[in-house]
């Protein structure tokens, strides 16, 4: 996980939004006239960083996950798919059922990759976020080991 991640940080989810992203450039591309075949609806989590363990220390990160979210602001997702012309390619909102749903106001440890474009990306659906408990403590032994290894590298 340490090697796969360019950035490891803890932070509080402050927002959930959606964007059409060009998978090649990592940039938003909502144009209905776009001929780019590498565009897809993405869920964007805005995170207020509380501590950085690896990578660039910045106050806010935006994490992009392929697909939308089932049961969350579906009209917004559908409208974005329609405006961008992607409903011609997809019969509805593409959703990755393995991606976790993060909660606004909750704190997590994140393991992400920042490549080209404007967003961090997950390393794996089941390995990119670990939730803190209500006392601000992380209970996952895996997450504790990630933090320890990141601090020692």
């Amino acid at each position: 996980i340490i090697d796969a991640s360019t950035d490891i940080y803890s932070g509080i989810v402050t927002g959930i939004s959606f964007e059409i992203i060009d998978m090649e450039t990592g940039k938003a591309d909502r144009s209905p006239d776009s001929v780019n075949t590498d565009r897809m609806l993405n869920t964007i989590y805005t995170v207020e960083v509380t501590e950085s363990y690896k990578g660039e220390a910045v106050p806010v990160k935006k994490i992009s996950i392929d697909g939308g979210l089932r049961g969350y602001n579906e009209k917004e997702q559908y409208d974005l798919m329609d405006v961008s012309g992607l409903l011609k390619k997809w019969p509805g909102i593409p959703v990755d059922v393995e991606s976790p749903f993060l909660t606004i106001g909750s704190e997590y440890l994140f393991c992400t990759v920042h490549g080209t474009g404007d967003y961090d990306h997950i390393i794996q659906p089941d390995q990119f976020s670990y939730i803190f408990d209500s006392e601000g403590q992380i209970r996952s032994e895996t997450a504790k080991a990630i933090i320890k290894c990141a601090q020692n590298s």
Side-chain angles (χ1 to χ4, degrees), residues 61-78:
K61 294 269 195 175
K62 292 195 177 259
I63 302 171
S64 173
I65 300 177
D66 294 348
L69 287 177
R70 181 176 291 130
Y72 184 84
N73 288 350
E74 289 178 343
K75 181 174 179 357
E76 177 186 348
Q77 296 175 67
Y78 186 86

Side-chain angles (χ1 to χ4, degrees), residues 24-39:
E24 292 286 320
T25 67
K27 303 278 186 183
D29 181 359
R30 293 183 177 194
S31 172
D33 301 321
S34 179
V35 294
N36 187 330
T37 59
D38 294 322
R39 298 181 311 145

Side-chain angles (χ1 to χ4, degrees), residues 5-23:
S5 304
T6 60
D7 296 87
I8 299 174
Y9 48 94
S10 58
I12 299 168
V13 175
T14 59
I16 302 171
S17 59
F18 304 95
E19 187 58 80
I20 303 298
I21 299 194
D22 176 332
M23 306 309 280

Side-chain angles (χ1 to χ4, degrees), residues 99-119:
S99 292
F101 180 86
L102 305 180
T103 306
I104 292 175
S106 293
E107 185 171 13
Y108 300 84
L109 175 70
F110 295 100
C111 302
T112 61
V113 174
H114 191 85
T116 60
D118 299 326
Y119 306 95

Side-chain angles (χ1 to χ4, degrees), residues 80-140:
L80 187 54
M81 293 283 293
D82 188 31
V83 170
S84 67
L86 286 180
L87 280 180
K88 296 174 187 162
K89 178 178 179 180
W90 301 93
I93 301 168
V95 175
D96 183 349
V97 295
E98 293 182 20
S99 292
F101 180 86
L102 305 180
T103 306
I104 292 175
S106 293
E107 185 171 13
Y108 300 84
L109 175 70
F110 295 100
C111 302
T112 61
V113 174
H114 191 85
T116 60
D118 299 326
Y119 306 95
D120 280 12
H121 301 277
I122 66 172
I123 58 170
Q124 289 289 335
D126 61 344
Q127 293 179 320
F128 93 97
S129 67
Y130 302 86
I131 193 163
F132 283 68
D133 66 18
S134 59
E135 287 102 40
Q137 300 296 313
I138 193 126
R139 299 284 183 213
S140 165

